[in-house]
Amino acid sequence: MERPVLAVLGGSFDPPHLGHALIPTYLLARGLADRVLVAPCWSHPFAKQMMPFADRLALTRLAMASQAETVEVSDVEARLAARRGGEGPSYSYDLLRAVAEEHPEFAVRLVVGSDIVVRGELARWHRAAEIAAEFSPIVVPRVGFADAEDCALPEISSTAVRAWLAAGDDPEAQEALTMAVPAAVLKRIRGGHEGHVWLFGRGNVSTHAEPWLRERGWTAAVGSARGLVDGTCELPAGTPDAIWLLGQDGWLAAAAEALVRRGAPRVPVLHAAGSVVAREGLAAAAAAGHPVGTLHPICSLRRERPGSRLGSCVFGLEGDPEARAMALRWIGPQAHLDLQGLNAEQRTRYHAACALAGNHVAVLAERAAETMRSLGLPGPTTTRAIGELLRSALDNLLALGMPHGVSGPAARGDLAALKRHEAALEGEASALYRVLSAQLVELLRVEIELLAARR
């Protein structure tokens, strides 16, 4: 069976424009790709001067945000640069090989404009023959370098966009920008930087928090939590407007003490732990005059996953007025739960509710997959089947709510089928099914009684 196609769109994206944003739509709509990976380059092979990588990455993510389900904006070029010590140019062949290694389930193909091919530039690229042989380029027709009737995308260049930006308040330039640059990107460019944040921690949350802040116009410097506490690392660069501690609950008190001991500026200090009241967990910082607070992202984050729900999740928020105000500036229009006034016991209960929903779905997935594998069904396909089932069940529940978002025997009032299922399952899967079925029937009792009355 042929593998699905992952199209790789590289470039400087300095800045990303409407043409860039529409290329994935073109590829997907024409059936040329099943998914698209967009990779801003770290450095230019011809030493072209560009905006800092982190800014271009953040702007590109804004440009592609509406296509997040099928388009991944990747920092793979930064990771490749780190492996070579930050030196040397970014080569497309190295990028494509890295993407192929990370996504073995896909056939990886390079995306290039027809101008690159017509001008003979592709043939001069580093390891051009191997790119052609291994990553069969998809050629996107561009005006002036293909038949006019084949050109479906607007002809825009980042060079022209930079010139219009440099023109300042010139009305024609401003009009051209609104026609050429995605609205979210233009808003961020025009808005400039909001301020600077120190992030401490290099785990799952920090991996997503840094680009999330940049997309909102904040610069961020990441420091080691361990290095902060034991004094082995310098404090991050720049003077912060706020400090966000991202990591496990157990080191928060020591981190707050270290900030005071090391003379951190007296700015708001927030943490991301769901179960810790800020004035208790950050007592040393509060005593030293820092406004303290909690900004807890209520979503599942893994550093291995480039796609993040941080831009759409709800946050848990509490703390001193200055810390709350800072957190609200970060999250903007995103929703939040006000945790103000919850004591330590109540905060633990709140966090337990988050864990119940966010962590324990893994038990359902694994017990269901175990049962299917015990029947001799193939592992990879079984995993995919269970994953799609979980995703569709959650989508229906969120869209329709209770009781209409639930399907299956309980929703149909078929209590006999529930008993048969419980008997057919084995061990822990059977016990889990019995407990959950009893609670589901209770939640659906009114609907079940109505169904029984109609029969």
Side-chain angles (χ1 to χ4, degrees), residues 203-205 207-208 299-308:
N204 295 317
V205 180
T207 300
H208 294 278
C299 62
S300 178
L301 300 170
R302 290 294 308 180
R303 65 189 307 165
E304 300 91 346
R305 298 281 296 163
S308 173

Side-chain angles (χ1 to χ4, degrees), residues 357-382:
N359 305 152
H360 293 77
V361 68
V363 179
L364 294 175
E366 186 55 26
R367 293 292 172 257
E370 274 179 357
T371 300
M372 288 195 176
R373 290 194 296 266
S374 73
L375 300 172
L377 299 174
T381 307
T382 290

Side-chain angles (χ1 to χ4, degrees), residues 196-200 210 214 219-223 236-238:
H196 187 59
V197 184
W198 282 357
L199 305 177
F200 285 98
E210 193 268 346
R214 285 190 179 275
T219 59
V222 182

Side-chain angles (χ1 to χ4, degrees), residues 413-447:
D414 191 350
L415 304 186
L418 296 178
K419 290 293 184 183
R420 291 196 301 273
H421 287 175
E422 181 186 332
L425 292 167
E426 299 176 344
E428 293 176 341
S430 178
L432 183 64
Y433 193 92
R434 179 173 63 255
V435 170
L436 294 180
S437 292
Q439 295 199 26
L440 183 58
V441 167
E442 187 60 32
L443 289 171
L444 297 173
R445 181 163 300 283
V446 172
E447 289 296 309

Side-chain angles (χ1 to χ4, degrees), residues 9-55:
L9 174 62
S12 59
F13 299 96
D14 185 31
H17 52 64
L18 200 60
H20 292 137
L22 292 175
I23 287 175
T25 300
Y26 172 84
L27 297 171
L28 295 165
R30 281 204 57 201
L32 299 172
D34 298 279
R35 289 187 64 83
V36 180
L37 185 142
V38 181
C41 65
W42 175 261
S43 59
H44 199 277
F46 305 118
K48 174 182 173 183
Q49 293 300 306
M50 299 178 290
M51 278 191 293
F53 175 81
D55 291 334

Side-chain angles (χ1 to χ4, degrees), residues 122-138:
L122 183 59
R124 297 194 296 271
W125 282 13
H126 176 69
R127 303 182 75 164
E130 288 152 293
I131 289 175
E134 297 177 37
F135 304 108
S136 184
I138 300 172

